[in-house]
CSV table of all heavy atoms in Angstrom, one decimal:
chain,number,residue,atom,x,y,z
A,380,LYS,N,9.0,19.4,12.3
A,380,LYS,CA,9.5,18.8,13.5
A,380,LYS,C,9.3,19.7,14.7
A,380,LYS,O,9.1,19.2,15.8
A,380,LYS,CB,11.0,18.6,13.3
A,380,LYS,CG,11.7,17.8,14.4
A,380,LYS,CD,13.1,17.5,14.1
A,380,LYS,CE,13.8,16.7,15.2
A,380,LYS,NZ,15.2,16.4,14.9
A,381,THR,N,9.4,21.0,14.5
A,381,THR,CA,9.2,22.0,15.6
A,381,THR,C,7.7,22.0,16.0
A,381,THR,O,7.4,22.5,17.1
A,381,THR,CB,9.6,23.4,15.2
A,381,THR,OG1,8.7,23.8,14.1
A,381,THR,CG2,11.0,23.4,14.7
A,382,LYS,N,6.8,21.5,15.2
A,382,LYS,CA,5.4,21.5,15.5
A,382,LYS,C,4.9,20.3,16.3
A,382,LYS,O,3.8,20.2,16.8
A,382,LYS,CB,4.5,21.7,14.3
A,382,LYS,CG,4.8,23.0,13.6
A,382,LYS,CD,4.0,23.1,12.3
A,382,LYS,CE,4.3,24.4,11.6
A,382,LYS,NZ,3.6,24.5,10.3
A,383,ILE,N,5.7,19.3,16.4
A,383,ILE,CA,5.4,18.1,17.1
A,383,ILE,C,5.1,18.4,18.6
A,383,ILE,O,5.9,19.0,19.2
A,383,ILE,CB,6.4,17.0,17.0
A,383,ILE,CG1,6.6,16.6,15.5
A,383,ILE,CG2,6.1,15.7,17.8
A,383,ILE,CD1,7.7,15.5,15.3
A,384,GLY,N,4.0,18.0,19.1
A,384,GLY,CA,3.7,18.3,20.5
A,384,GLY,C,2.7,19.5,20.6
A,384,GLY,O,2.1,19.7,21.6
A,385,ASN,N,2.6,20.3,19.5
A,385,ASN,CA,1.6,21.4,19.5
A,385,ASN,C,0.2,20.8,19.7
A,385,ASN,O,-0.2,19.9,19.1
A,385,ASN,CB,1.7,22.1,18.2
A,385,ASN,CG,0.8,23.4,18.2
A,385,ASN,OD1,-0.4,23.2,18.4
A,385,ASN,ND2,1.4,24.5,17.9
A,386,ALA,N,-0.5,21.4,20.6
A,386,ALA,CA,-1.8,20.8,21.0
A,386,ALA,C,-2.8,20.7,19.8
A,386,ALA,O,-3.6,19.8,19.7
A,386,ALA,CB,-2.5,21.6,22.1
A,387,LYS,N,-2.7,21.7,18.9
A,387,LYS,CA,-3.6,21.7,17.8
A,387,LYS,C,-3.0,21.0,16.6
A,387,LYS,O,-3.7,20.8,15.6
A,387,LYS,CB,-3.9,23.2,17.4
A,387,LYS,CG,-4.7,23.9,18.4
A,387,LYS,CD,-5.0,25.4,17.9
A,387,LYS,CE,-5.9,25.4,16.8
A,387,LYS,NZ,-7.3,25.0,17.1
A,388,GLN,N,-1.7,20.6,16.6
A,388,GLN,CA,-1.1,19.9,15.6
A,388,GLN,C,-1.2,20.6,14.2
A,388,GLN,O,-1.5,20.0,13.2
A,388,GLN,CB,-1.6,18.5,15.5
A,388,GLN,CG,-1.3,17.6,16.7
A,388,GLN,CD,0.1,17.3,16.8
A,388,GLN,OE1,0.7,16.8,15.8
A,388,GLN,NE2,0.8,17.5,17.9
A,389,GLU,N,-1.1,21.9,14.2
A,389,GLU,CA,-1.2,22.6,13.0
A,389,GLU,C,-0.1,22.3,12.0
A,389,GLU,O,1.1,22.4,12.4
A,389,GLU,CB,-1.3,24.1,13.2
A,389,GLU,CG,-2.6,24.5,14.0
A,389,GLU,CD,-2.6,26.0,14.4
A,389,GLU,OE1,-1.6,26.6,14.1
A,389,GLU,OE2,-3.6,26.5,14.9
A,390,GLY,N,-0.4,22.0,10.8
A,390,GLY,CA,0.6,21.8,9.8
A,390,GLY,C,1.3,20.4,9.9
A,390,GLY,O,2.3,20.1,9.3
A,391,ILE,N,0.7,19.5,10.7
A,391,ILE,CA,1.3,18.2,10.9
A,391,ILE,C,0.1,17.2,11.2
A,391,ILE,O,-0.8,17.6,11.9
A,391,ILE,CB,2.3,18.1,12.0
A,391,ILE,CG1,2.9,16.7,12.2
A,391,ILE,CG2,1.8,18.6,13.3
A,391,ILE,CD1,4.0,16.6,13.2
A,392,ALA,N,0.2,16.0,10.7
A,392,ALA,CA,-0.8,15.0,11.0
A,392,ALA,C,-0.1,13.7,11.5
A,392,ALA,O,0.8,13.2,10.8
A,392,ALA,CB,-1.6,14.7,9.7
Side-chain angles (χ1 to χ4, degrees):
K380 188 175 181 180
T381 63
K382 296 176 182 177
I383 298 177
N385 184 305
K387 291 178 70 68
Q388 294 291 310
E389 295 176 350
I391 179 175

